[in-house]
Amino acid sequence: MKYLWRLLPLSFILLMAGCGQQNLSALDPRGPVAEEQFSLIMLSLYIMIFVMVVVFSIYVFVLIRFRERPGDTHIPKQVHGNRTLEIVWTVIPILLLLALAVPNVMTTFTLADVEPTDDSLEVEVTAHQFWWEFEYPEYGIVAGQDMYIPTNTRININLEASDVIHSFWVPALAGKQDNVPGITNYMWFEAPEEGVYIGKCAELCGEAHWLMDFRVIAVDPDTFDTWASNMAAEDAGEMQEDAGEVAVQGREVFEQSCIQCHAVGDEGGNIGPNLTNFSEREVIAGFLEYDEDNENLRAFIRDSQSVKPGNGMDVAFPEDQISDEEMDALIEYLNGLSVLDEE
Amino acid sequence: MSYAEAQKKSVLWDWLTTVDHKKIGIMYLAAGAFFFTIGGIMALLMRAQLMFPNSSLIPAQTFNEILTMHGTIMIFLAAMPLLFGFMNYIVPLQIGARDVAFPFLNSLGFWLFLFGGIFVNLSWFLGGAPDAGWTSYVPLASHYSGIGLDFFVLGLQISGLGTLIGGINFLVTIINMRAPGMSMMRMPLFTWNTFVASILILFAFPALTVGYLLLMMDRIFGSNFFVVEMGGNVVIWQHLFWIFGHPEVYILALPAFGIFSEIIPTFSKKRIFGYTAMVFATMLIGFYGFMVWAHHMFTVGLGPVANSVFAIATMAIAVPTGIKIFNWLLTMWGGRIKMTTAMLCAAMFIPTFVMGGVTGVMLAVSAADYQFHDTYFVVAHFHYVIVGATVLGLFGGAFYWWPRMFGYTLNEKLGKAFIILFLIGFHLTFFVQHFLGLYGMPRRVASYLPGQGWDGMNLVSSSGAIFMAAGFLLFIINIFVSMKNKETTGDPWDGRTLEWTIPSPTPEYNFAQTPLVRDYDAFWYEKYQGDGKIKAAEPLGDIHMPNGSILPIIISFGLFVMAFGLVYHTWIVAGAGLLIVFGAMFVRSVKEDHGYHIPVEEITKDKGGK
Amino acid sequence: MADHGMDPSAPLTGEPSKNTKRKLRKEVKTQIIGFVLALFLTSISFISIASDAIPASFAIPFIFMLAVIQVVLQLYIFMHLNDRGNAWPNAMIWSAVVVAIPSVAALMLLLGITKW
Amino acid sequence: MAENHTVEQHSLPPNPEKATLEGKNKYMGFWFFLGGEVVLFASLFGTYLGLRNSTAGGPGPSDLFHLDLVFIMTMLLLTSSLTSVFAIISMKRGNYKGLLAWMWVTVLLGLGFLGFEIYEFWDYTVNYELGFTTSAFSSAFYTLVGTHGAHVTFGIGWIIVLLIRYAKTGLTLTNAPKFYTATLYWHFIDVVWVFIFTVVYLMGIGG
């Protein structure tokens, strides 16, 4: 018992000291929207801590002062109430709440203001079970899983969903909005610093809900322009100049088995994520590390259901469909798919 | 039926056919405790899975089923029935009534709840449990989930019907059956809170009924309410669900507030502070309960005006709730606080619930809620509220009313050990979850990847769950260990209200003579202003009792059969079930049943025992 | 409860009191007036939609208002909501209306299609 | 509450439906149930209003609804409300035969209403190809109006059971509240219909 009591304050200190993982925590905001929300969180927290201090002080005092002592048998005075006191503890909370309500209403309207400005960038985010599609209508390009944005630019986001309800959340940049089928939702954020911000799906959307992560990659505007124009210019049929023979063979495998669902450049289906810049992904399928000998990628292509159960890629590619050799070629091809390191 | 015949029934048949509010109350408690245990085991399984990152103890699909059923069971099949158990048993006693207004419907309500609850749980064995969360947002629940959702929607429809019937029954009981002299403003606060909670049930459950009806139509009959391609709209579901769902929170909390409002004055030996304010605060909370539901939908995209309006309305609830908290504190102020286990529950309720309440206000800040929503912050918040109020209320109520209901007192030492262990576990489990949410952990995740800064706190959280489980075990042990502590006075706590004027064990007719109420806290008034004995409002005479009936079980069974028919699209079975229902209702309506009388000699015999 | 021995299934016989009879005569009149009013309101509603002379922008709120009036009329005349001893039903029905209005408004307007 | 039990067995109380505690309970409980029904129908109305323009290319309100049919249905139901009022007045006068007769008239009018409604649904399904699954609008329309129709059906069945069961017993303290609550239910059905003909039919045709 004693040990426990010592553990409790210790864990509290640990909690307050850290703010969680960088670029994933709402307590470590990295952009104006998240900062504004953070300041609201702190404002409400201060008011609430004040309330708690008041209540807890009275509470502790009462419990100690008026506890039954041995031998005490007096009957306390049967008080009915006290008008003044009751008015006081009605009015003070109302004032406190007003202090919270006014800035909240202002922020709510600020965050809902999604009028495009001259230099704002529009991104259309469509959520699927269980991956993310980012369309840049001004550039005519579609990317999967990684959302590239220029720094210091207002990003206006339109949220849509293709199947069930999802929720688009990048804690370090902005609070979430839902991707609702049949409805378009709007939000905006801005990233002043370059960096990779982790995004999550926050609404229970099925079996692999917990693996529906994505990345927001903020790069300087020049790099973004390069990225976007290379994405747009990417011609599916044309292989990169330095592509080896193996990669060419891999492209054939891709055209045979993958292209119905996955697009590279302007060619291919859109049932699965667009793979144009596949090798520049932070992770595979939203969560898998790129390992030295590509075991993760290999396992995912062979039988994705065993790696990420419930995902939409419900075909397996055992060895009689894609031989080991073909698989190596395919991986070589995929790992060559990039848009940023072309120049 | 005569009195002699009524006495001859076998024990089992007696319980199956009983319309006695006390027996029905006990059945509610037993069934609720059973489901509570199941729901608790599910919670432990979930915490075991989340103890370490990337754990593969439970597959994601199963995890989603468990999390759905944990919520569903705890809300619909554990918390509400347990509260209904206390309401059933205690409210008629507190208002000096022999029974509820509709004994037959009371029994029907219980059996509907039980059959509905069993039906939902059968899904585990018949193709998988529902997996779309207890909120079951469409279209995940309508077109992307398996047969479990059919069981969910039909089972809860049946048990919801039972709840609605129960709500109406309490309302009429409280309005029409009060003993002479007990005006509305002399009613004990538990009865008042039951009354307001019943109003909430009456107006909230029909919205859920419609929600489940639409979901059932979409799933089973191919309608298009939630099919976007055919013009449907998925937000309709969320509105209907939360028009019910938010009042539901108060349906759970208010009766618990009522329990604390009985325990705190009793063990502080002081009248409740600000009775009138308490009553109006209760009504205000009930009213606000219906005006704030869209705060569950801040991120759905209703627009800034809607969000602002609902945010401010939500914050307003903090005012009447605050009034209540201060009234409880001031009730203890100047009192002589005897720290029994029941009082310990009430005392620990205040800080726990205040913490849940302040995070509630934080969640009401709509712009900040975009960060909180659907994260572990919310999970922490509602567990602080529901465990802090409802569960502590249930435990407190159990320790307080146990001698009344079962004729023996629970062991105090074991009781205190239980509640301390339980609360340590509770705060360990849920306090860190506030931070987990802010650190980016969404709720309802089947697992999580390592290296996101969540590992340590999840470990703490899961360890806490073990303490909670251990505490609960102590409670169960206590029930059996204490059986020898027979309680014979009928008034073990120096009670203030009418239920303590009855001899122990409680006779089936409750009051030999209908009591005459002369003030609020009727018993206390007689103890300190009168001669300590409650006045009788009528001469001693034969007592009229309603006959038991097997029809409630038959009706509930009929709906159960019908639900099976619907799930498997076998219309003949569904029709047969419906036929059973209407047949039993027909019998009920055609057969006039005037009950029987307990002769006055039997009553004097009982009275002699006091 | 001293109703022991009284059989509730025994038929009630005899005449109502003079006072009751007088009240019932008045009641018939009230009910017929209520019925005629209801017919009148209904007909106006139908006519204002059927006739092309009345623009929809006026007709829609107008017939909605007529419906509200008729419902109140039916509640208080046909269903005697205002009678003595009906305070609780009265309060409960209006509470239900208070709950119903925001629910209907939300289901009509707050569907995410138009942002408010 | 005790004073009501001193009522003489053979006299006719002014409000026989509320003369016993059971009757009072039933009366009040039934009103509360109607309060719940208000919210139930409000939810259905709200859903209908939210979806009434979502015809998904299928027929919409202005293609379907006919004023004449709705007007006749409205008149039938309105009149049945009056006849059920007359039934209760007969009951209070001690005229049991009158009670039964007016209730039968109510049932017949209700059956007439139901007949037209069935014809209407049949007409929409067959001649306008508006099935239950045609569009979100059709689902909402059939569910709202169908729920009302189900209430009418249940009401008719309930009253018929009462009429047959108590055909020969005369008025008693047990059946008076039953007849009374049945008429309350019937009036409530009428009240809901007022909103249905306004919100669904008239607003559907008018724009």
Side-chain angles (χ1 to χ4, degrees):
Chain A
M1 218 42 131
K2 243 185 196 165
Y3 173 72
L4 252 174
W5 284 117
R6 232 177 282 157
L7 200 79
L8 219 56
L10 189 76
S11 58
F12 193 82
I13 291 162
L14 277 174
L15 287 171
M16 300 310 279
C19 291
Q21 172 90 350
Q22 212 183 17
N23 298 345
L24 173 59
S25 169
L27 296 183
D28 185 13
R30 293 304 166 108
V33 172
E35 270 160 19
E36 203 151 333
Q37 288 168 332
F38 177 70
S39 65
L40 267 180
I41 293 175
M42 292 320 280
L43 173 69
S44 59
L45 190 63
Y46 290 139
I47 295 177
M48 292 306 132
I49 285 178
F50 168 74
V51 171
M52 280 166 64
V53 167
V54 172
V55 173
F56 288 4
S57 320
I58 302 176
Y59 171 77
V60 171
F61 173 76
V62 166
L63 281 191
I64 294 173
R65 170 69 183 76
F66 299 107
R67 70 183 191 280
E68 185 177 69
R69 290 169 177 79
D72 183 1
T73 56
H74 85 281
I75 298 296
K77 192 162 168 266
Q78 305 292 308
V79 186
H80 283 237
N82 182 323
R83 179 78 43 91
T84 325
L85 267 180
E86 284 169 41
I87 289 172
V88 167
W89 66 54
T90 309
V91 172
I92 292 181
I94 291 177
L95 295 178
L96 289 177
L97 290 173
L98 276 179
L100 194 54
V102 172
N104 173 44
V105 171
M106 284 160 60
T107 311
T108 303
F109 277 88
T110 316
L111 297 189
D113 176 22
V114 285
E115 282 299 305
T117 57
D118 292 341
D119 53 352
S120 66
L121 173 71
E122 189 183 328
V123 185
E124 210 165 290
V125 178
T126 309
H128 306 264
Q129 273 181 329
F130 302 89
W131 59 281
W132 298 87
E133 180 183 329
F134 304 103
E135 193 182 339
Y136 299 71
E138 292 151 40
Y139 294 85
I141 54 177
V142 175
Q145 299 292 30
D146 287 358
M147 176 180 178
Y148 279 81
I149 57 165
T151 52
N152 287 314
T153 309
R154 189 186 158 103
I155 316 291
N156 280 337
I157 298 174
N158 310 337
L159 298 161
E160 275 158 19
S162 71
D163 34 46
V164 302
I165 300 178
H166 305 269
S167 192
F168 177 88
W169 185 32
V170 194
L173 293 180
K176 61 193 76 63
Q177 287 287 306
D178 292 352
N179 301 66
V180 186
I183 289 166
T184 307
N185 280 332
Y186 308 96
M187 65 183 280
W188 66 275
F189 59 64
E190 213 177 303
E193 304 160 41
E194 287 189 37
V196 177
Y197 304 94
I198 299 175
K200 303 247 164 212
C201 173
E203 179 71 54
L204 177 62
C205 56
E207 199 175 353
H209 162 56
W210 71 285
L211 291 172
M212 201 173 150
D213 287 5
F214 61 97
R215 298 290 189 282
V216 175
I217 301 171
V219 292
D220 67 84
D222 290 342
T223 318
F224 177 79
D225 277 337
T226 320
W227 177 82
S229 49
N230 285 349
M231 282 291 281
E234 194 69 31
D235 183 352
E238 189 188 320
M239 299 293 291
Q240 279 170 32
E241 285 146 32
D242 58 346
E245 206 178 307
V246 189
V248 176
Q249 194 202 340
R251 168 74 198 177
E252 278 161 22
V253 179
F254 184 83
E255 278 172 6
Q256 228 168 50
S257 305
C258 314
I259 207 159
Q260 290 86 345
C261 301
H262 293 280
V264 168
D266 55 357
E267 211 178 281
N270 61 353
I271 296 166
N274 184 302
L275 299 176
T276 309
N277 59 340
F278 180 78
S279 75
E280 285 154 4
R281 290 274 164 82
E282 291 286 321
V283 284
I284 308 163
F287 73 106
L288 285 172
E289 301 283 327
Y290 282 94
D291 50 351
E292 195 83 355
D293 38 11
N294 297 308
E295 277 314 313
N296 279 343
L297 182 55
R298 198 184 310 269
F300 190 83
I301 298 172
R302 279 256 183 258
D303 182 12
S304 70
Q305 292 301 328
S306 68
V307 184
K308 187 179 180 180
N311 81 77
M313 184 163 149
D314 50 5
V315 278
F317 296 99
E319 267 146 62
D320 56 348
Q321 287 201 24
I322 298 181
S323 69
D324 279 342
E325 193 191 339
E326 286 171 327
M327 181 62 80
D328 287 337
L330 178 62
I331 288 172
E332 173 82 11
Y333 167 69
L334 289 174
N335 283 342
L337 290 173
S338 62
V339 295
L340 272 179
D341 58 357
E342 273 180 15
E343 64 261 69
Chain B
M1 203 191 292
S2 70
Y3 174 68
E5 281 171 58
Q7 294 299 302
K8 262 192 301 198
K9 280 185 282 189
S10 76
V11 175
L12 179 68
W13 185 252
D14 180 34
W15 281 87
L16 291 180
T17 61
T18 188
V19 293
D20 178 359
H21 72 97
K22 297 180 288 300
K23 285 182 178 149
I24 291 171
I26 287 172
M27 289 198 291
Y28 264 120
L29 288 179
F34 170 73
F35 284 124
F36 185 82
T37 314
I38 306 238
I41 291 170
M42 288 174 181
L44 283 178
L45 286 174
M46 282 192 286
R47 277 325 314 174
Q49 159 80 357
L50 295 174
M51 199 159 190
F52 300 105
N54 231 340
S55 158
S56 52
L57 189 66
I58 300 171
Q61 176 60 29
T62 315
F63 188 92
N64 287 352
E65 292 171 18
I66 293 178
L67 82 85
T68 303
M69 286 304 281
H70 168 74
T72 308
I73 287 180
M74 285 307 200
I75 300 276
F76 291 107
L77 309 178
M80 287 224 296
L82 287 167
L83 289 169
F84 263 47
F86 287 122
M87 292 171 174
N88 249 305
Y89 202 108
I90 301 300
V91 165
L93 300 185
Q94 280 197 331
I95 61 174
R98 294 246 162 75
D99 208 327
V100 290
F102 307 110
F104 177 87
L105 288 183
N106 200 16
S107 150
L108 178 61
F110 169 75
W111 291 109
L112 284 173
F113 140 69
L114 189 64
F115 275 93
I118 291 171
F119 190 78
V120 180
N121 278 285
L122 281 181
S123 60
W124 285 111
F125 313 104
L126 298 171
D131 57 358
W134 85 284
T135 53
S136 283
Y137 275 13
V138 292
L140 180 63
S142 54
H143 296 93
Y144 291 82
S145 286
I147 197 167
L149 256 296
D150 293 330
F151 280 94
F152 174 87
V153 90
L154 288 159
L156 292 183
Q157 191 74 283
I158 294 173
S159 89
L161 197 60
T163 310
L164 184 64
I165 290 174
I168 294 177
N169 189 13
F170 289 129
L171 286 176
V172 180
T173 304
I174 293 171
I175 290 176
N176 275 356
M177 310 279 283
R178 278 170 288 131
M182 179 166 282
S183 60
M184 288 302 278
M185 292 313 273
R186 279 184 189 170
M187 279 188 338
L189 280 171
F190 177 62
T191 303
W192 253 117
N193 280 272
T194 301
F195 184 71
V196 177
S198 300
I199 297 178
L200 298 190
I201 289 173
L202 176 62
F203 296 143
F205 270 77
L208 183 73
T209 305
V210 171
Y212 283 158
L213 177 78
L214 304 190
L215 184 51
M216 180 192 80
M217 291 288 189
D218 262 24
R219 288 188 59 90
I220 297 174
F221 297 103
S223 63
N224 300 309
F225 292 105
F226 310 128
V227 184
V228 171
E229 301 78 48
M230 306 298 281
N233 186 304
V234 299
V235 181
I236 286 178
W237 165 263
Q238 299 189 19
H239 277 299
L240 288 174
F241 183 81
W242 289 116
I243 288 170
F244 148 80
H246 199 77
E248 168 69 15
V249 178
Y250 297 103
I251 295 170
L252 296 179
L254 288 180
F257 290 171
I259 294 173
F260 296 126
S261 301
E262 300 295 324
I263 293 176
I264 291 177
T266 302
F267 295 107
S268 305
K269 294 248 175 295
K270 231 181 119 232
R271 184 192 158 102
I272 190 89
F273 187 91
Y275 173 82
T276 320
M278 286 300 251
V279 171
F280 283 104
T282 309
M283 291 201 261
L284 212 53
I285 292 174
F287 169 75
Y288 280 136
F290 280 105
M291 300 296 147
V292 299
W293 77 88
H295 68 217
H296 298 268
M297 302 163 64
F298 280 152
T299 65
V300 175
L302 304 180
V305 178
N307 281 2
S308 301
V309 169
F310 280 101
I312 292 171
T314 306
M315 290 179 192
I317 299 185
V319 178
T321 316
I323 291 175
K324 287 196 151 210
I325 297 280
F326 284 113
N327 277 330
W328 284 315
L329 287 176
L330 267 282
T331 304
M332 295 193 279
W333 188 293
R336 169 156 67 87
I337 302 170
K338 188 175 163 71
M339 205 45 93
T340 58
T341 310
M343 185 63 190
L344 191 60
C345 289
M348 292 317 293
F349 146 76
I350 290 177
T352 312
F353 182 75
V354 166
M355 283 171 74
V358 296
T359 50
V361 178
M362 292 173 74
L363 282 163
V365 182
S366 48
D369 180 72
Y370 301 157
Q371 288 286 17
F372 301 135
H373 183 73
D374 264 337
T375 69
Y376 259 87
F377 189 88
V378 176
V379 177
H381 158 72
F382 68 69
H383 281 94
Y384 265 86
V385 174
I386 295 183
V387 177
T390 313
V391 175
L392 281 179
L394 288 168
F395 283 133
F399 277 90
Y400 182 58
W401 281 312
W402 203 272
R404 176 79 279 149
M405 295 189 292
F406 298 101
Y408 67 93
T409 315
L410 290 175
N411 184 302
E412 282 289 310
K413 272 205 181 112
L414 266 177
K416 282 177 192 165
F418 140 68
I419 206 71
I420 289 167
L421 206 56
F422 185 82
L423 276 166
I424 289 174
F426 168 76
H427 286 284
L428 273 179
T429 308
F430 292 105
F431 186 75
V432 288
Q433 291 186 358
H434 293 115
F435 293 89
L436 276 175
L438 291 168
Y439 292 177
M441 183 164 169
R443 68 191 280 208
R444 292 170 166 174
V445 285
S447 182
Y448 53 94
L449 298 169
Q452 302 189 88
W454 307 337
D455 306 6
M457 282 188 281
N458 271 302
L459 183 61
V460 172
S461 181
S462 292
S463 333
I466 299 169
F467 285 83
M468 289 176 83
F472 185 66
L473 271 182
L474 272 189
F475 178 72
I476 302 287
I477 292 169
N478 199 343
I479 293 177
F480 294 100
V481 169
S482 309
M483 278 184 175
K484 56 181 192 303
N485 304 340
K486 286 276 172 265
E487 207 289 314
T488 49
T489 61
D491 182 20
W493 313 117
D494 191 10
R496 310 172 70 87
T497 39
L498 285 180
E499 76 265 33
W500 303 112
T501 63
I502 305 170
S504 177
T506 317
E508 60 172 321
Y509 46 81
N510 298 352
F511 297 90
Q513 288 162 286
T514 299
L516 179 71
V517 175
R518 302 204 292 173
D519 197 3
Y520 174 67
D521 276 345
F523 196 20
W524 182 265
Y525 177 83
E526 299 298 344
K527 277 177 183 169
Y528 292 91
Q529 311 286 325
D531 59 0
K533 287 235 166 58
I534 208 87
K535 305 278 172 290
E538 61 174 9
L540 200 60
D542 290 359
I543 292 175
H544 177 249
M545 301 295 287
N547 281 330
S549 171
I550 193 71
L551 290 176
I553 294 189
I554 294 176
I555 293 175
S556 310
F557 178 73
L559 284 173
F560 188 81
V561 171
M562 184 181 91
F564 259 112
L566 288 176
V567 168
Y568 291 104
H569 299 236
T570 38
W571 312 127
I572 192 151
V573 177
L578 207 60
L579 218 60
I580 298 176
V581 174
F582 280 117
M585 280 166 68
F586 180 77
V587 172
R588 168 70 187 167
S589 139
V590 165
K591 212 180 101 188
E592 289 209 353
D593 181 355
H594 300 300
Y596 64 94
H597 287 84
I598 301 179
V600 72
E601 304 82 63
E602 289 296 323
I603 300 160
T604 21
K605 225 190 288 171
D606 281 356
K607 275 197 101 175
K610 191 182 178 182
Chain C
M1 289 186 203
D3 58 345
H4 192 194
M6 191 176 102
D7 181 6
S9 54
L12 297 165
T13 50
E15 293 277 297
S17 69
K18 274 229 167 71
N19 190 23
T20 313
K21 272 189 185 163
R22 199 173 53 242
K23 274 191 187 149
L24 286 174
R25 263 197 300 279
K26 225 180 109 198
E27 170 82 357
V28 174
K29 259 182 233 155
T30 319
Q31 296 301 334
I32 289 175
I33 293 170
F35 179 68
V36 170
L37 269 174
L39 284 187
F40 176 71
L41 292 168
T42 308
S43 306
I44 302 258
S45 283
F46 275 85
I47 289 167
S48 50
I49 291 297
S51 105
D52 296 329
I54 301 162
S57 56
F58 171 76
I60 298 288
F62 180 62
I63 60 168
F64 187 74
M65 195 188 73
L66 293 183
V68 172
I69 294 174
Q70 177 164 185
V71 162
V72 171
L73 201 118
Q74 293 211 12
L75 282 173
Y76 284 98
I77 296 183
F78 289 173
M79 299 174 80
H80 299 101
L81 197 49
N82 224 14
D83 275 13
R84 228 169 58 89
N86 274 3
W88 280 111
N90 204 341
M92 222 55 101
I93 291 292
W94 288 110
S95 306
V97 172
V98 167
V99 173
I101 288 170
S103 308
V104 174
L107 286 165
M108 258 180 92
L109 304 172
L110 300 180
L111 291 180
I113 299 182
T114 318
K115 310 288 181 200
W116 290 89
Chain D
M1 61 190 197
E3 66 273 10
N4 291 303
H5 298 286
T6 57
V7 163
E8 279 290 307
Q9 191 177 333
H10 293 293
S11 71
L12 183 66
N15 292 310
E17 76 276 6
K18 286 188 274 188
T20 60
L21 179 62
E22 285 73 26
K24 264 195 224 165
N25 287 345
K26 194 168 279 180
Y27 176 82
M28 191 161 290
F30 199 79
W31 264 111
F32 293 170
F33 167 73
L34 293 183
E37 290 264 84
V38 169
V39 180
L40 183 119
F41 274 104
S43 305
L44 286 169
F45 271 109
T47 308
Y48 173 80
L49 285 170
L51 296 175
R52 80 187 151 137
N53 296 323
S54 308
T55 51
S62 49
D63 309 324
L64 296 163
F65 302 149
H66 305 294
L67 278 182
D68 41 3
L69 185 74
V70 185
F71 189 73
I72 296 170
M73 288 166 75
T74 307
M75 286 305 139
L76 284 175
L77 210 55
L78 207 55
T79 314
S80 76
S81 234
L82 184 73
T83 56
S84 68
V85 164
F86 286 158
I88 292 304
I89 292 179
S90 300
M91 177 180 98
K92 292 190 177 178
R93 282 184 169 149
N95 177 3
Y96 192 63
K97 286 223 172 87
L99 165 67
L100 297 184
W102 281 118
M103 284 310 246
W104 277 115
V105 176
T106 307
V107 165
L108 287 180
L109 289 167
L111 281 172
F113 173 87
L114 202 61
F116 276 110
E117 184 153 276
I118 290 166
Y119 163 75
E120 186 202 3
F121 281 12
W122 172 84
D123 185 37
Y124 294 163
T125 321
V126 174
N127 297 334
Y128 293 87
E129 295 183 339
L130 184 86
F132 184 55
T133 58
T134 303
S135 63
F137 156 73
S138 77
S139 300
F141 167 76
Y142 282 120
T143 305
L144 170 60
V145 181
T147 306
H148 177 264
H151 276 70
V152 175
T153 315
F154 183 81
I156 291 173
W158 180 11
I159 297 177
I160 289 179
V161 169
L162 286 182
L163 286 174
I164 293 173
R165 167 69 181 87
Y166 294 112
K168 299 221 160 63
T169 57
L171 185 67
T172 69
L173 287 174
T174 13
N175 65 20
K178 292 188 185 186
F179 278 114
Y180 197 93
T181 45
T183 63
L184 274 184
Y185 186 74
W186 197 257
H187 289 308
F188 182 74
I189 289 170
D190 193 22
V191 166
V192 173
W193 182 255
V194 171
F195 278 115
I196 291 188
F197 84 66
T198 305
V199 170
V200 177
Y201 291 99
L202 293 185
M203 281 185 176
I205 295 169

